[in-house]
Amino acid sequence: MKSNSFCIVLLLCFNALFSQTKIVDKKLEMERIVNRIQLPVIPAYKIKVTDFGAKGDSVTNCKLAFDKAMKACSKNHGGTIVVPKGVYTINGPIHFVSNVELHLETGAKIRFGSNPKDYPLVLTSWEGTMLYNYSPLIYGNNVENVAITGNGIIDGEAKNTWIKWKPLEEKDKLLSREMNHTNVPLKERVFGKGHFLRPQLIQFLNSENILIEGVTIEDSPFWCVHLLKSKSITLRDLKYDAHNNNNDGIDPEYSSDILIENIQFNNGDDNVAIKAGRDDEGRGNSNSPSENIVIRNCEFKGLHAVVIGSEMSAGVRNVFVDNCKAGGYLKRGIYIKTNSDRGGYVRDLYFSNIAFGQVEDCIYMTANYHGEGSGLHPSKISDVSISNISCESASNAAIVIEGFPEKKVENIVLDTITVKSAKNGMTLTNTQNISVNEIIIGDKIGVPSSVK
């Protein structure tokens, strides 16, 4: 008996040590990711956009002035374009070149026009399918060492303009997906005049060493910040006030080595939505997963806090979310969503030290998103750690995890999770190897009542 007791104690000590080692390893991996991200290096050359004829009177079209400023930086191998206090209307996009910082001083606001004719077609992506569409309002393709900084405002001016395309987009959305599924050559995927796919507010494609810091983002036509096939990215100290349809805050897609920190989200859709291509096209890019992403010290407010999917066919892995809180109601806190058309995988996710308020669902993982899918390409969700989570109330469910019979959700750790009230507690279907510890849903029960 003594020998058995000794073995049990030894095993418990080993498990505790192993658990602590995993925590340390997680912190070390987060720091490794952050430390290898390169901030942009910007040359000393500095100009004011007003030197090129821009007027911050909210009326004058400053498009030509911004283009001239960008061209001047290009001739000088880079530099900083300063936007002084004022409201600058730009009828058309800002296209970045390498080694340039766009700096908005306190009191500066950039507001974009909404005439589609002012936005040339560029290579972009729309809900996980590569195609040619109207240029994002701020756009960079194949650039490096670029930054958007300052305390000013970037306003997409979309709530009475681009947003009217929302009820008209269904036909083009389905067309883009058909092109994806049938492998239509990219050069033939041309949208634009006569089509109604709204552009993103800020997008960097095939780019690296990107910094977006300090600015306030408002009123995007579609997704707010889209990081597409890019790497070595820092987003920090941003503020959002973006409430249009599909106004996701940050959408990394096929992108890696990303730090998202100290963000005050206030969005009409997902705060952070990590994506990796859609269906056939995404599975064909399986060597380009979204990976090595750190989200920390953020305040969530919007539809969902952190979302993986649903476009994630190339895979999502190595994501860390730590020390965050919610500033208002969320439909879902942690939301992992895919279906049996996507394929791919979601794995090696770590959520820790997050405080939610009122939600519909606190934690929701599903491989059966909207009940959609042919059943031919089920996704694999595995190796997810969720620890030290609190939630005031869940009007629907505290925890939902659902996989497929042939591809179960597996290797999930739920540790120290408190949901003070919930209509439903925990639902697990088609899962295996789910580890739970210190889960409290509702009132914490201590000493049992006595028999009377």
Side-chain angles (χ1 to χ4, degrees):
M1 289 293 293
K2 289 183 179 180
S3 176
N4 289 342
S5 297
F6 175 76
C7 289
I8 291 170
V9 171
L10 186 63
L11 181 61
L12 290 173
C13 291
F14 175 78
N15 286 340
L17 180 63
F18 178 70
S19 177
Q20 186 64 32
T21 301
K22 288 177 70 177
I23 292 171
V24 172
D25 286 348
K26 180 182 74 171
K27 290 180 179 178
L28 287 174
E29 180 59 22
M30 288 174 64
E31 290 307 312
R32 278 194 288 265
I33 293 169
V34 172
N35 289 338
R36 70 170 174 257
I37 294 172
Q38 299 294 308
L39 289 171
V41 177
I42 307 296
Y45 178 69
K46 184 177 288 189
I47 53 176
K48 290 185 178 181
V49 73
T50 48
D51 295 337
F52 297 87
K55 295 181 179 180
D57 58 8
S58 81
V59 177
T60 301
N61 178 16
C62 301
K63 166 66 174 166
L64 184 59
F66 275 83
D67 287 348
K68 287 181 177 179
M70 193 67 70
K71 188 174 182 180
C73 283
S74 181
K75 287 182 177 179
N76 285 274
H77 308 291
T80 299
I81 300 172
V82 177
V83 184
K85 181 180 178 180
V87 179
Y88 299 83
T89 297
I90 306 176
N91 293 330
I94 295 173
H95 282 187
F96 263 83
V97 297
S98 292
N99 309 311
V100 170
E101 176 180 346
L102 179 66
H103 181 79
L104 283 70
E105 293 185 335
T106 301
K109 181 176 184 177
I110 292 173
R111 57 191 292 268
F112 287 92
S114 57
N115 186 341
K117 293 179 181 179
D118 293 329
Y119 294 86
L121 299 189
V122 298
L123 179 62
T124 181
S125 171
W126 210 86
E127 289 194 345
T129 299
M130 297 297 297
L131 45 75
Y132 288 89
N133 191 36
Y134 294 111
S135 173
L137 280 52
I138 297 177
Y139 178 74
N141 185 5
N142 281 303
V143 295
E144 62 181 0
N145 297 317
V146 291
I148 302 170
T149 65
N151 295 310
I153 298 171
I154 298 173
D155 187 349
E157 285 278 312
K159 65 183 177 182
N160 295 315
T161 53
W162 294 104
I163 202 60
K164 294 180 180 179
W165 285 15
K166 172 65 176 177
L168 305 174
E169 75 185 21
E170 187 67 19
K171 181 179 177 181
D172 293 315
K173 179 169 69 174
L174 294 176
L175 175 59
S176 73
R177 294 177 183 178
E178 179 65 19
M179 290 174 167
N180 180 321
H181 297 155
T182 56
N183 296 310
V184 170
L186 182 56
K187 64 182 180 180
E188 297 177 19
R189 302 180 188 183
V190 180
F191 292 76
K193 185 177 181 181
H195 299 277
F196 298 95
L197 298 182
R198 292 163 288 148
Q200 298 86 350
L201 180 59
I202 300 171
Q203 182 187 88
F204 288 103
L205 164 64
N206 295 320
S207 299
E208 61 182 318
N209 301 348
I210 300 163
L211 171 66
I212 306 178
E213 180 178 37
V215 296
T216 296
I217 294 172
E218 298 181 351
D219 204 14
S220 174
F222 190 57
W223 295 348
C224 293
V225 178
H226 187 199
L227 307 165
L228 180 60
K229 297 186 176 183
S230 295
K231 63 182 180 180
S232 196
I233 302 160
T234 303
L235 302 103
R236 61 190 179 203
D237 299 320
L238 302 176
K239 298 179 181 66
Y240 283 84
D241 188 15
H243 302 283
N244 288 328
N245 296 96
N246 307 106
N247 268 199
D248 294 3
I250 300 169
D251 293 79
E253 183 168 15
Y254 299 122
S255 291
S256 63
D257 288 0
I258 303 170
L259 173 61
I260 299 169
E261 65 177 355
N262 302 323
I263 310 290
Q264 293 183 29
F265 291 100
N266 188 4
N267 295 81
D269 212 308
D270 305 335
N271 291 169
V272 180
I274 301 172
K275 301 176 180 294
R278 185 184 187 93
D279 299 351
D280 295 74
E281 184 172 287
R283 292 191 298 274
N285 283 279
S286 59
N287 61 339
S288 301
S290 285
E291 61 183 348
N292 303 327
I293 300 169
V294 175
I295 303 166
R296 64 188 185 188
N297 307 326
C298 293
E299 183 170 328
F300 300 123
K301 187 177 181 181
L303 184 64
H304 306 124
V306 179
V307 180
I308 313 292
S310 70
E311 305 92 345
M312 40 57 67
S313 301
V316 175
R317 65 189 180 200
N318 225 27
V319 176
F320 301 83
V321 184
D322 183 57
N323 195 38
C324 296
K325 63 181 180 179
Y329 172 81
L330 295 163
K331 186 175 177 68
R332 295 190 176 95
I334 297 168
Y335 192 19
I336 300 169
K337 55 180 181 175
T338 179
N339 65 37
S340 63
D341 279 338
R342 298 288 184 267
Y345 58 84
V346 175
R347 66 172 184 254
D348 301 321
L349 312 181
Y350 304 89
F351 299 87
S352 57
N353 307 310
I354 306 173
F356 295 116
Q358 294 182 335
V359 298
E360 182 175 311
D361 306 294
C362 183
I363 299 165
Y364 207 122
M365 301 184 213
T366 179
N368 193 33
Y369 177 57
H370 282 179
E372 299 172 343
S374 61
L376 298 176
H377 303 283
S379 305
K380 183 64 175 180
I381 301 173
S382 67
D383 302 286
V384 180
S385 172
I386 302 176
S387 63
N388 295 313
I389 307 296
S390 66
C391 180
E392 290 297 316
S393 66
S395 61
N396 184 45
I399 302 169
V400 178
I401 304 176
E402 56 181 11
F404 283 103
E406 66 273 25
K407 240 177 201 182
K408 296 181 178 180
V409 176
E410 65 178 355
N411 302 336
I412 310 299
V413 175
L414 304 172
D415 182 23
T416 315
I417 297 171
T418 301
V419 181
K420 292 183 179 179
S421 69
K423 181 180 178 181
N424 300 290
M426 183 162 63
T427 299
L428 308 178
T429 56
N430 294 316
T431 65
Q432 61 188 17
N433 196 21
I434 309 296
S435 173
V436 298
N437 179 57
E438 298 286 345
I439 308 295
I440 301 171
I441 301 172
D443 294 331
K444 183 178 181 180
I445 305 301
V447 177
S449 59
S450 60
V451 177
K452 292 183 180 180

